[in-house]
Amino acid sequence: MTRPSTEQVWEWLDQVPDPEIPVISLVDLGIIRDVAWMGDTLEISVTPTYSGCPATSFINMEIETAMRGHGIQRLALKRQLAPAWTTDWLSEKGIAKLEEYGIAPPQPAGGPARCPHCGGTHLERISQFGSTPCKAQWRCTDCLEPFDYFKCI
Amino acid sequence: MELNEALERFALRMGDNTLILGHRVSEWCGHSPVLEEDIALANTALDLIGQTQLWLGLAGELQGNGKSADDLAFLRDAWDFRNLLLTELPNGDFGRTMMRQFLFDAWQSILLPRLAQSPDARVAEIAAKAAKEAAYHVERSADTVVGLGDGTEESHGYMQQALAYLWPYVGEIFDTDEADDCLAQAGVVPHFSTLKDEYYALITRVLTDATLDVPQDDFAHRGGRDGMRHTEHLGHLLTQMQWLQRAYPGANW
Ligand SMILES: [Zn+2]
């Protein structure tokens, strides 16, 4: 087969959903650090969000499945630790989708800016940790709904 | 001492600390006082186990005999572990678990950002990743220590007791040997003695906010980081943690 361009591969990766937050893609999440051809082997560098995130191995499997589906035969997945993942790498498209989905996007101030349900700004923290390593639990005291906040790191 | 050997010992100690404490914290899974705390403890354990994979992965690489992080975690016996005694102590009540977590997190939150500046790229990469997690952990464990210490009379009593029990295990953090000296001399890892004042200042501030009396006794139990005298608790922990690999060698899923 002819080698698809790296731009094409990035597009394909942008269609692979994050297993925990399926409305955003792996590219939106900012964990794909590099795509390159080494001879006839496609190399994709992936960085973990949290060092113990159990989704990491599942994500690698999803990437492999997707690339095989597009006819890639030789694939090498590389774990890239540095620079360490930061929520600054979330795409703008991803941030908008997170909020639409009901997850408040990360803020440099360290807490959500507004309730993703009603837009209210009277918020309280329930717990520093949430359903996945990347989230914390908050509650809106305007509409009384709890919601996930994507931690800023 | 040769630098490579010193670094291997250092990586093993870092990884054993996070492995043993991570396993201890995971014992709370499904048993915490409230759901949010259960989730928080499980997530903390997960971060620590993740850091273990990186540190023990490096230790295995430096040993150069093809051992993986899993091999080091599951196929060594108690006397080969190099974790601080503090990390292997039983959980006790929730207050004691959080006090132990705070005393450890405070140390990591000071050490890891320094290691992230190490000229050794392998050390710096792991530390930069772990430092972010440690900063988050210490925020939570310090808040909880203050909340419970400066809480009700009963919770205050529990926290003061927890501190009395754990205090003799704090001193070991600052023990050093020829490996530490070698790494400090090479500029790869700061000498722990240079971080001591900062550590005691941090924990004294938080413990004072928690209205707890900081013990003045500097007696310290030793024998974890050199493996000479672990507590009787480590063997029991390993029988749980290593059971599957010992019953079914090479098991995989
Ligand atoms: Zn609301």
Side-chain angles (χ1 to χ4, degrees):
Chain A
M1 68 178 267
T2 53
R3 283 187 349 188
S5 67
T6 52
E7 288 80 12
Q8 176 66 68
V9 175
W10 277 100
E11 266 176 52
W12 288 338
L13 288 167
D14 200 23
Q15 289 157 16
V16 181
D18 172 71
E20 304 272 15
I21 312 165
V23 289
I24 62 169
S25 76
L26 299 182
V27 175
D28 288 330
L29 190 59
I31 59 170
I32 309 290
R33 302 316 299 157
D34 195 31
V35 174
W37 283 101
M38 295 294 281
D40 57 358
T41 300
L42 178 64
E43 280 191 358
I44 301 178
S45 302
V46 187
T47 194
T49 50
Y50 286 82
S51 55
C53 184
T56 308
S57 58
F58 191 73
I59 284 170
N60 285 350
M61 209 171 75
E62 296 278 273
I63 295 173
E64 192 163 344
T65 309
M67 292 305 117
R68 300 267 178 249
H70 289 292
I72 302 293
Q73 314 250 324
R74 290 168 163 270
L75 177 68
L77 292 178
K78 298 205 302 190
R79 181 187 74 183
Q80 188 178 324
L81 270 192
W85 180 77
T86 153
T87 38
D88 295 346
W89 295 343
L90 283 169
S91 72
E92 279 185 37
K93 163 167 78 81
I95 287 173
K97 282 186 175 168
L98 275 181
E99 197 166 17
E100 231 175 274
Y101 187 61
I103 300 173
Q107 300 292 337
R114 58 174 183 255
C115 165
H117 305 300
C118 75
T121 52
H122 300 95
L123 314 170
E124 60 184 14
R125 191 174 74 188
I126 303 174
S127 173
Q128 262 170 298
F129 289 89
S131 53
T132 63
C134 57
K135 286 178 279 178
Q137 294 176 71
W138 282 66
R139 177 169 34 223
C140 169
T141 53
D142 291 332
C143 71
L144 302 178
E145 288 292 326
F147 62 89
D148 274 336
Y149 164 64
F150 205 101
K151 286 159 26 181
C152 187
I153 71 159
Chain B
M1 184 177 224
E2 208 209 327
L3 188 60
N4 215 49
E5 193 188 341
L7 191 57
E8 176 204 319
R9 206 186 281 186
F10 177 78
L12 198 62
R13 283 169 170 159
M14 294 297 286
D16 281 351
N17 280 341
T18 50
L19 173 66
I20 299 302
L21 185 61
H23 184 84
R24 272 288 181 233
V25 175
S26 79
E27 291 172 357
W28 274 101
C29 200
H31 301 279
S32 303
V34 290
L35 182 62
E36 285 75 14
E37 293 305 329
D38 205 284
I39 292 171
L41 285 165
N43 271 292
T44 303
L46 210 54
D47 283 343
L48 293 172
I49 301 298
Q51 293 168 19
T52 302
Q53 277 174 343
L54 303 174
W55 287 120
L56 290 189
L58 175 59
E61 191 184 308
L62 291 165
Q63 283 178 4
N65 49 12
K67 285 202 176 130
S68 69
D70 280 345
D71 293 336
L72 291 174
F74 295 119
L75 301 176
R76 279 180 301 154
D77 221 325
W79 46 81
D80 291 326
F81 277 80
R82 294 292 179 269
N83 57 286
L84 295 167
L85 297 178
L86 178 71
T87 63
E88 70 196 42
L89 296 174
N91 287 333
D93 54 68
F94 179 72
R96 193 202 281 175
T97 293
M98 292 313 297
M99 181 63 81
R100 183 188 59 195
Q101 191 65 36
F102 168 64
L103 295 169
F104 182 77
D105 290 344
W107 169 233
Q108 295 293 98
S109 76
I110 288 168
L111 175 64
L112 290 169
R114 298 312 209 298
L115 294 181
Q117 307 298 321
S118 173
D120 187 298
R122 297 165 298 185
V123 172
E125 282 188 2
I126 297 173
K129 187 79 198 156
K132 289 186 171 201
E133 295 163 356
Y136 203 77
H137 293 172
V138 73
E139 194 187 321
R140 171 170 176 276
S141 56
D143 273 4
T144 313
V145 164
V146 173
L148 292 174
D150 189 15
T152 64
E153 202 180 311
E154 190 181 1
S155 71
H156 177 88
Y158 272 97
M159 295 313 272
Q160 192 67 63
Q161 269 176 33
L163 186 57
Y165 176 80
L166 295 168
W167 190 256
Y169 296 95
V170 171
E172 193 188 13
I173 293 175
F174 296 98
D175 280 357
T176 51
D177 63 10
E178 68 276 16
D180 301 292
D181 296 340
C182 167
L183 291 169
Q185 215 155 30
V188 174
V189 171
H191 204 265
F192 291 172
S193 57
T194 62
L195 305 175
K196 198 170 173 175
D197 288 349
E198 193 180 341
Y199 176 78
Y200 281 99
L202 170 60
I203 63 169
T204 301
R205 180 169 57 72
V206 171
L207 295 173
T208 305
D209 278 355
T211 70
L212 296 168
D213 295 325
V214 182
Q216 297 305 311
D217 190 348
D218 62 1
F219 169 76
H221 290 290
R222 316 202 128 85
R225 79 190 301 279
D226 59 12
M228 297 298 275
R229 198 167 20 182
H230 279 286
T231 66
E232 70 271 31
H233 308 296
L234 180 65
H236 292 278
L237 180 150
L238 296 182
T239 60
Q240 292 273 324
M241 190 182 84
Q242 299 181 330
W243 176 83
L244 195 128
Q245 275 304 322
R246 290 186 181 277
Y248 303 98
N252 224 319
W253 70 86

